[in-house]
Amino acid sequence: MSGRQSSCSCVVALLALWSMVSLVVVVVWASWPPRAGLQGCLNGLQSLEEKMEGARVMKEKELRALEREIEQSRNNQSRMQLEIEHILQNLRLTNTSLMGCLLEQAVLKENLTTLEEEVAVAESTQLRLSQEQALNEGKEHAGMGRGGNTAIFKCRKLNQLEQSQPCPI
């Protein structure tokens, strides 16, 4: 019986060991957090998919917003380029007009200078003639006092006689 008894003891020991290991496995399996298993994984996967979908939607919204901003920026740039070209055209016209005015001003300044010179010459001539006239008048008054008055009187008398006499023809 000893063989039997030792076999029985071995089987009992094995059963005891198997039950202990089974008990440990059940306890560990029951208390292990990831034990939620497939449902927990599915819930986590669904949560991640929702987050990814939300992120994708946000990315698409941001992309559309950026595309709108880019389009607005291009439109603004085109509009500003047209404004710059318009301003440059106005500047060119203004410069052309200014150059014309400057040339006209130079001609007018030259004309003014010429007129001022002519006025100075005329004033000089007038002054000289006035001085000559005053000198001549002074000589006439001086001559009348010395007998020049009689010469003028005689001239006038001769002139009157010629006019009063009828023509001998």
Side-chain angles (χ1 to χ4, degrees):
M1 278 223 313
S2 96
R4 223 173 148 175
Q5 226 179 10
S6 74
S7 322
C8 242
S9 302
C10 262
V11 170
V12 170
L14 278 175
L15 282 174
L17 182 64
W18 181 75
S19 67
M20 291 287 255
V21 169
S22 294
L23 184 62
V24 168
V25 168
V26 168
V27 168
V28 168
W29 181 73
S31 66
W32 194 35
R35 163 187 131 340
L38 183 60
Q39 188 59 34
C41 286
L42 290 176
N43 289 341
L45 182 61
Q46 185 179 5
S47 173
L48 285 175
E49 285 177 347
E50 288 172 0
K51 286 180 183 178
M52 289 295 290
E53 182 64 24
R56 186 179 59 77
V57 169
M58 289 300 295
K59 183 179 176 185
E60 287 177 2
K61 284 182 182 179
E62 289 173 356
L63 184 62
R64 283 191 296 259
L66 287 175
E67 287 173 350
R68 279 193 303 265
E69 287 180 18
I70 289 171
E71 185 63 28
Q72 286 176 347
S73 295
R74 286 181 183 152
N75 290 340
N76 285 343
Q77 185 178 9
S78 297
R79 184 180 47 79
M80 287 179 171
Q81 186 65 35
L82 288 174
E83 286 180 21
I84 288 171
E85 289 173 8
H86 181 71
I87 289 170
L88 287 175
Q89 180 66 26
N90 285 343
L91 281 174
R92 282 190 282 276
L93 291 173
T94 302
N95 283 342
T96 303
S97 174
L98 181 61
M99 291 302 293
C101 288
L102 288 175
L103 288 174
E104 184 179 350
Q105 184 182 13
V107 168
L108 290 175
K109 191 171 187 178
E110 186 177 321
N111 289 346
L112 181 65
T113 302
T114 303
L115 287 175
E116 286 174 345
E117 289 172 358
E118 289 177 4
V119 166
V121 168
E123 286 176 348
S124 170
T125 303
Q126 181 183 7
L127 179 65
R128 184 181 51 82
L129 290 175
S130 295
Q131 289 173 350
E132 285 178 10
Q133 181 182 8
L135 185 64
N136 287 338
E137 285 177 359
K139 284 181 182 177
E140 281 181 14
H141 287 299
M144 281 187 207
R146 283 186 258 137
N149 195 9
T150 57
I152 292 174
F153 182 71
K154 285 181 184 178
C155 266
R156 283 187 189 154
K157 277 289 191 188
L158 281 173
N159 197 9
Q160 285 175 354
L161 280 176
E162 283 180 5
Q163 288 177 0
S164 65
Q165 288 182 3
C167 248
I169 300 178

